[in-house]
Amino acid sequence: MMVYTITKTLDVKKLNCPFPILKTKKAINDIEIGEYIEVLATDPGSVSDFQAWCNSTSHELVESSQENGIFKYIIKKTK
Amino acid sequence: MSEKKKRLAIIASQANITGAYPPLLLAITAAAMDYEVGIFFTFFGLNLLKKNNLNKIKITPAGETAMPMPIPQIIGVLPGMTGMATMMMKSWMKKANVAKLQELMDIAVESGVKLIACQMTMEVMKIKRKHLIDECVVGGAATFLEFASEADVNLYI
């Protein structure tokens, strides 16, 4: 597994669709292009939602994983 | 970026709880996905644009055969049943941690979703411009169609 330098961590645990996405959209404004944001979520629907959001916005989903019911996404800001 | 944005156009024609959530949820999600979004509110959908009204949106159990109410359908038409069903529905949504309609509308406004109130049905429903939130615009079918003709996704809810 690659190791990324995380600039910002966003905790959206317990939030339901579509709030993990909305909060991520907001939070990604706080980092610079080329930097990484880490998002922690519990919504199982977020797995496909984060993939879709990244496809749509062209930010890069570099890691999508799950551990003990917590979903972790690492996204590289591309624009 | 000069690349053309994707566009979502929605017609919102309902104002019960189950009809009110989908247009707002989809609109704000699409906005977060960098779509340009417009919602055309017509007939009962106009209730979603009325000032201080989103807390009063209800659900009626009569005719809603899928709603798991512990009563026969016919009882659903009795006075108080709509209030009861609404209370039940709201408590389920609270437990599932679903946001309130007002929060969704606030986000929609904040994220630049274009809110269009249907002029013709405003007259039918005797709704005046001053009854509606300031953030919406009033327009007709042509206004919506012009926006929708360029949309990648068109929904009627």
Side-chain angles (χ1 to χ4, degrees):
Chain A
M1 196 181 279
M2 287 269 296
V3 177
Y4 301 96
T5 311
I6 306 297
T7 307
K8 187 182 173 83
T9 295
L10 177 69
D11 183 353
V12 292
K13 292 197 284 284
K14 298 205 176 133
L15 291 182
N16 272 345
C17 166
F19 283 89
I21 291 292
L22 299 187
K23 301 258 179 199
T24 304
K25 162 82 176 168
K26 258 196 176 153
I28 209 160
N29 289 332
D30 300 340
I31 65 172
E32 303 295 327
I33 291 171
E35 290 181 340
Y36 295 88
I37 184 170
E38 173 187 61
V39 185
L40 303 172
T42 48
D43 172 18
S46 65
V47 177
S48 58
D49 280 359
F50 272 85
Q51 185 63 63
W53 182 74
C54 287
N55 289 345
S56 189
T57 56
S58 79
H59 293 302
E60 193 183 339
L61 184 62
V62 296
E63 190 185 316
S64 171
S65 58
Q66 183 196 352
E67 203 177 327
N68 303 325
I70 311 279
F71 298 95
K72 183 170 90 172
Y73 307 101
I74 300 177
I75 299 163
K76 183 182 183 185
K77 181 170 176 166
T78 57
K79 61 173 185 182
Chain B
M1 292 205 20
S2 59
E3 169 189 335
K4 194 176 165 289
K5 280 191 167 187
K6 283 192 184 171
R7 185 182 278 188
L8 166 66
I10 302 175
I11 296 178
S13 65
Q14 301 179 38
N16 49 35
I17 289 178
T18 50
Y21 270 92
L24 292 175
L25 280 171
L26 290 169
I28 60 178
T29 306
M33 292 172 84
D34 292 339
Y35 282 50
E36 187 182 9
V37 187
I39 313 177
F40 188 67
F41 295 85
T42 184
F43 282 103
F44 296 119
L46 286 168
N47 286 292
L48 309 180
L49 286 182
K50 280 188 189 164
K51 286 175 182 160
N52 308 315
N53 196 48
L54 286 174
N55 284 336
K56 299 174 196 152
I57 299 294
K58 295 184 172 60
I59 186 158
T60 170
E64 192 61 83
T65 51
M67 183 139 181
M69 292 278 284
I71 50 162
Q73 267 291 310
I74 187 73
I75 308 293
V77 300
L78 295 178
M81 284 299 143
T82 294
M84 196 175 119
T86 302
M87 250 172 59
M88 277 176 64
M89 189 84 182
K90 283 189 171 173
S91 82
W92 297 336
M93 296 182 92
K94 200 173 173 186
K95 273 187 203 137
N97 205 14
V98 176
K100 294 200 168 98
L101 286 168
Q102 186 62 57
E103 292 173 54
L104 304 183
M105 182 60 91
D106 291 346
I107 297 168
V109 167
E110 191 188 313
S111 49
V113 172
K114 193 173 178 187
L115 307 167
I116 310 164
C118 169
Q119 170 71 59
M120 188 276 278
T121 43
M122 279 170 69
E123 281 173 33
V124 176
M125 317 279 290
K126 298 192 168 38
I127 297 169
K128 299 232 169 3
R129 178 66 185 89
K130 64 176 182 199
H131 298 142
L132 302 178
I133 57 173
D134 297 336
E135 291 84 356
C136 70
V137 295
V138 175
T143 309
F144 175 74
L145 286 171
E146 194 206 2
F147 183 85
S149 69
E150 298 281 314
D152 300 279
V153 184
N154 271 294
L155 299 174
Y156 179 84
I157 298 174

